[in-house]
Each structure stands twice: as structure tokens, then as C-alpha cells.
Amino acid sequence: MTEHESIEEPILPPRETLDTWGVPELPDDFADRVVAAWAAGAPPVALARPRRWWAPAAAAVMGAAAAALIAWWIWPGSSPVEPGSQAPAARPFEPAVTRPAPGRDDVSIVVDVSPEDAHLRVREADRTVAEATGDLAATLPAPGAAGYTIEVEHPGYHPQSTGLTFEGRAAEVRIELVARTEAAPADAAGSADAAGPAAEADSTEVSPKTEAPPSREARGSATLRIGTEPGAAPARVEIDGKAVGTTPIARFDTVSGTHRVRWTWADGRSVDRTVTLDIDEVRTLKAE
Amino acid sequence: MVVVARTEPAPRRPVEIAPKVLAAAIDGEAWAFRELVRFYQRLVHSVVWRMLGSPGRRAFAEDVAQEVFLRAFRSLPRYEVRGDTPLSAWLLTIAVRTSIDELRRQRPVVTPLDVVAVPPSAGARPDEAAEWTSTARAVRRAAEDLTPEVRAAFILRAYHDLTYPEIAAALEIDLGTVKSRLHRARKALVEHLGEFRHD
């Protein structure tokens, strides 16, 4: 008997018990919001483009056109020849595509970001050459001597930027943003060198994020709404030892972090709760 | 207390979306994305809501559910339509992993006091409704006592009837670990529901 088979399958409480823990309904426009968010964040550089049904046919047509062009170019008699002279040697293959400017080659770049929906831009000087929401895999013109700058940002996180210079033709970079409740990285700008030409398909993974100890000093605003359970009498409320009024308290603006809330009723009974609020969080608390 | 006036819980093993709609979504059609979200939003949201375990952050759960679908859209071209994994199970995998990522990022939330409870029927007596609310609270607290990984296994099994191999694939663990996590979930549930029954 394997180790798996030796463990009996656990029996969970009956379904009617588990189903008491319900789930609220989503708003009616949830699907529209998701689609709008997807459309707004669609990356201009093809990364995971959906397959198009016509793609194989298009590729075949282009291949046939290229083959016809080559055949016309090298076919005897297709090139101008003086009568009586020997036919010129077949010209070397030159596909009908635009080649990069002399001295510049394309480079392959892969940027892995965290969180996964962070927005990133690849810039050369003051020009954006590529941008995406989420990871990026692209072939770009090789940059000049100053290289590229990769900028990554996401709401709730400290933005980061890093320089990227190339000695070879490929680079892979991973950038992890730091949440705003933690200290910003000490050195967000750095430079990363790509793999040399000998490592044609290899790439160097660089993590420009500088480890910084998390700080609890970073704070923002947060809001509490305080009440009592239906049927319970109103109660006086103290937050962090300070009286703030009697329930219901529709809105109490405070700072993010940990707070102590106390309800006290006329009969002397009291209830204490400790809550931890994130920046911009709105929390409703009730007691009975 | 928030009471949801819904008497029928979401179906455990959902019927999958029409293949034509899925194919159109893989091709990037916006109308198909919208239909896919509408079809699976309840499924995804139920996992995220129970995983995050914090009823006071309703908007946050909606944001995470949205992120699940955005991640799914990005990965949709890699989904194997003729593979062994139904789309619903594939989405559940993304939902639990996204939720676990969020839970690892967040500090533990202390003492949410309101709970979403499903009353036995629209005409339930007050004592019946109160009992259901208390049971719901006990189930939720038991789930919140679990680590995110154990909670994920419990939710996938208890609320979505995923098989043990499906749970193992979703959480990238082996079958023995699935069983041991469900044992821990059961133990927490017995502790909380047992305490409740004696009150």
C-alpha cells in the first residue's frame, strides 16, 4: 500500500452546513468592467496574441510570394543580359523584407514583472519603443550606446526603472515591485548587461530590485464604519482609547495600520476588537 | 450582518461554456470574453471570496476576481481545448493561485464581524435564520484558521467537487498532500462546529 492509499479520505461536514457560508452577488456590470480592463491593458507588442484562423493561410501566401520572387530573380533570362554574353551567376538569396539599418541588429528582450499586471515601458532616451501590461517578450532594434531603460509601475507599488545595455543579442530581466507599505528600494536604477554573442540563445537573468527591510512607517488614509448588530442597542465607541461617538458611526477617517476599537453599552458591557487597515481601505465593523 | 436572499447555492460542477464561445474567446473576440466572464464569474468569485475570508473587503474580492479573469485571458491561447482539464477547473486553478498570492502579500485581517449567510428559506423563522448565521460564521472562522494552501484544498473539494487529482494539479501537490490538507480542514471544522453545537 502506498503512502497515499494509507491515508483515509477525510469526511467533511454535510453540504447544507457548508453552504451556509454564502457568497455575495457580483455587480451587474462586472463582466463589462473586466472586458474594459482587458481592452485598456492590451499590450502593443505581441506577446500572447490569440491565434487567428487565417494565420496559416497568410503564412503560406507570403511564403509562396517570397518563393516566386526568388524564382524570378534567379531564373535564367529574367535578368538583363547582353546578347552573346554569358548569363550572370545567380544572385544570392535576398528575401523581400526590410532589413535593419547597417550596423544595427535586432535584440531579443524578455521582461518578467511582479505583480503580473504591472505596466512596463521600454524606452530609449525619450522615446518609448515598447510597452505592455504584464510580462513582455519582444524583438526590438538594438539600442545605441546608452541602452534601454525599463520602467515598471503599478498602483499601490513603488515604481522602478532599470537600465539595460547589450553586449550580445538577448536579455532577460525580472523586476519585482515593492508594495507601498514597505520601504522603497534603496537603488531602483541600475544597469544590466546582456549575454555575450557566444551565448546566442542564452540570456542573463538580472534582478535589479534591491532588498530593503520592510518598514511599518509608510502610512496612508483609511476609513472605519462602526455599528452594532441589528437589534443591539447603540454603544459608545472608542478608537485607540479616544471616544469618537455613539453608533452608528457612518465614517471615521483614520490612518492605515492597527487600531483598537471598543464598544461600551449603557449596562457597562464592552467589546474590544483589534483591526489592521490597509491604505485606502474602508472597513465596516459591528458588534453585539 | 449581510444576508443573501438566495436559497440555491451555485452548482458544484458547472456545465462548461459552449465550444464556439470558447473558440471565439481564444481568438480574442471581445463579445466572447464578456460571455466567458458572465458564465464563470460566480464560480471564480465564490473561490476568491472564500479564499480571502474577509467579508469587509467586498470590493477587494471583486478586484481579485477581475484579476483572475485578466490572467485567464492572457493565458487562454495556451489552454488545451481538447485536453483533460475542463475550462472551469482551469479557471479554478488560476483563482486559487491568485488568491494565495494575494494572501501572501496581505497582512492577516483581524476580526471581520459581518458574514454572508444563506438562510434556509425566505420564510425562515428568526431563530432558524440566527442558527444559519451562526453556522455560517463557524464555517468561515474554521476556514480562516487554515493556511491559504489548506484553505484552497478545502474550498476546491467542499464547494466545487474537484477530484483529488484535480486538486493536486491545481495546487501542484501530490495526492497524499491533498488528503492531509483536507484532514486538517476537517479537524478545524469539527472544532468550530463542535463548539458551536454546544453553545
Side-chain angles (χ1 to χ4, degrees):
Chain A
M1 181 183 289
T2 66
E3 186 179 343
H4 299 167
E5 292 166 344
S6 66
I7 302 176
E8 289 181 2
E9 293 190 9
I11 299 174
L12 298 177
R15 178 174 176 177
E16 63 177 7
T17 299
L18 296 173
D19 283 341
T20 58
W21 184 24
V23 178
E25 296 291 338
L26 283 164
D28 292 339
D29 64 343
F30 177 77
D32 295 330
R33 281 163 33 193
V34 172
V35 173
W38 169 248
V45 177
L47 173 60
R49 285 289 185 212
R51 296 187 298 272
R52 303 277 189 239
W53 64 268
W54 42 260
V61 168
M62 290 176 63
L69 184 67
I70 296 163
W72 172 82
W73 190 259
I74 66 176
W75 195 262
S78 65
S79 48
V81 177
E82 290 289 338
S85 67
Q86 289 184 344
R91 298 177 64 163
F93 168 76
E94 288 190 24
V97 295
T98 303
R99 297 188 65 82
R104 286 174 68 92
D105 293 317
D106 290 342
V107 294
S108 169
I109 178 172
V110 173
V111 184
D112 182 14
V113 297
S114 174
E116 284 188 9
D117 61 342
H119 189 74
L120 74 90
R121 279 186 216 86
V122 182
R123 298 173 62 83
E124 184 177 15
D126 58 352
R127 187 173 65 96
T128 297
V129 297
E131 64 182 310
T133 299
D135 300 339
L136 170 73
T139 300
L140 302 173
Y148 284 135
T149 300
I150 302 175
E151 300 171 348
V152 184
E153 61 185 13
H154 188 288
Y157 292 81
H158 294 282
Q160 285 198 33
S161 67
T162 185
L164 186 65
T165 55
F166 288 80
E167 290 183 1
R169 299 184 61 184
E172 186 172 330
V173 180
R174 175 167 175 79
I175 300 178
E176 293 183 16
L177 298 183
V178 177
R180 286 189 183 275
T181 53
E182 298 176 25
D187 179 16
S191 65
D193 292 335
E200 196 174 85
D202 291 345
S203 55
T204 301
E205 182 171 350
V206 177
S207 295
K209 180 175 88 87
T210 301
E211 295 288 339
S215 166
R216 299 297 183 197
E217 298 304 319
R219 288 231 174 167
S221 61
T223 301
L224 282 168
R225 295 185 180 137
I226 303 172
T228 54
E229 295 287 355
R236 295 194 313 276
V237 175
E238 294 174 24
I239 297 178
D240 298 328
K242 198 172 175 183
V244 297
T246 304
T247 59
I249 295 173
R251 183 188 181 99
F252 180 81
D253 292 328
T254 181
V255 294
S256 59
T258 302
H259 300 278
R260 189 165 38 85
V261 181
R262 169 174 284 185
W263 292 256
T264 305
W265 283 268
D267 61 0
R269 188 170 60 92
S270 67
V271 169
D272 289 331
R273 292 285 184 264
T274 301
V275 295
T276 303
L277 302 173
D278 284 329
I279 295 174
D280 294 332
E281 183 177 359
V282 178
R283 180 87 63 87
T284 299
L285 301 177
K286 292 181 184 177
E288 59 183 349
Chain B
M1 178 187 74
V2 177
V3 176
V4 175
R6 171 164 51 86
T7 55
E8 287 187 13
R12 296 290 177 112
R13 293 305 297 247
V15 175
E16 301 294 337
I17 199 169
K20 284 186 180 176
V21 179
L22 175 58
I26 292 174
D27 266 354
E29 300 283 346
W31 69 266
F33 282 152
R34 188 174 288 108
E35 288 306 310
L36 192 148
V37 174
R38 285 185 183 143
F39 194 89
Y40 291 109
Q41 64 182 36
R42 201 169 168 202
L43 179 82
V44 166
H45 185 239
S46 68
V47 169
V48 170
W49 174 266
R50 292 189 171 114
M51 277 297 299
L52 298 184
S54 178
R57 300 165 78 184
R58 192 164 171 163
F60 177 63
E62 290 175 13
D63 288 347
V64 175
Q66 175 176 298
E67 183 174 341
V68 170
F69 280 108
L70 295 179
R71 291 190 184 189
F73 291 166
R74 280 195 285 269
S75 304
L76 204 54
R78 294 193 288 273
Y79 171 71
E80 294 181 9
V81 176
R82 293 190 179 82
D84 294 333
T85 306
L87 187 64
S88 58
W90 187 74
L91 287 170
L92 287 174
T93 299
I94 298 176
V96 292
R97 290 183 186 176
T98 305
S99 301
I100 289 174
D101 288 346
E102 289 298 327
L103 286 169
R104 284 175 181 159
R105 259 201 284 270
Q106 305 285 331
R107 285 194 296 272
V109 177
V110 179
T111 323
L113 292 180
D114 47 344
V115 66
V116 178
V118 181
S121 68
R125 297 194 311 269
D127 60 324
E128 287 177 338
E131 182 174 347
W132 272 71
T133 302
S134 296
T135 303
R137 190 171 287 153
V139 174
R140 179 179 57 73
R141 284 180 175 158
E144 287 180 350
D145 276 353
L146 307 173
T147 64
E149 291 77 11
V150 175
R151 192 185 311 166
F154 161 64
I155 289 171
L156 290 176
R157 180 67 179 167
Y159 292 96
H160 300 283
D161 281 345
L162 259 62
T163 63
Y164 282 27
E166 287 174 333
I167 297 173
L171 302 180
E172 294 182 318
I173 55 179
D174 59 36
L175 286 176
T177 305
V178 172
K179 288 183 186 177
S180 67
R181 288 185 183 180
L182 290 176
H183 270 291
R184 274 188 268 169
R186 181 179 184 278
K187 186 180 171 189
L189 285 160
V190 167
E191 285 175 4
H192 283 269
L193 293 172
E195 286 171 1
F196 164 72
R197 279 200 294 272
H198 290 136
D199 284 347

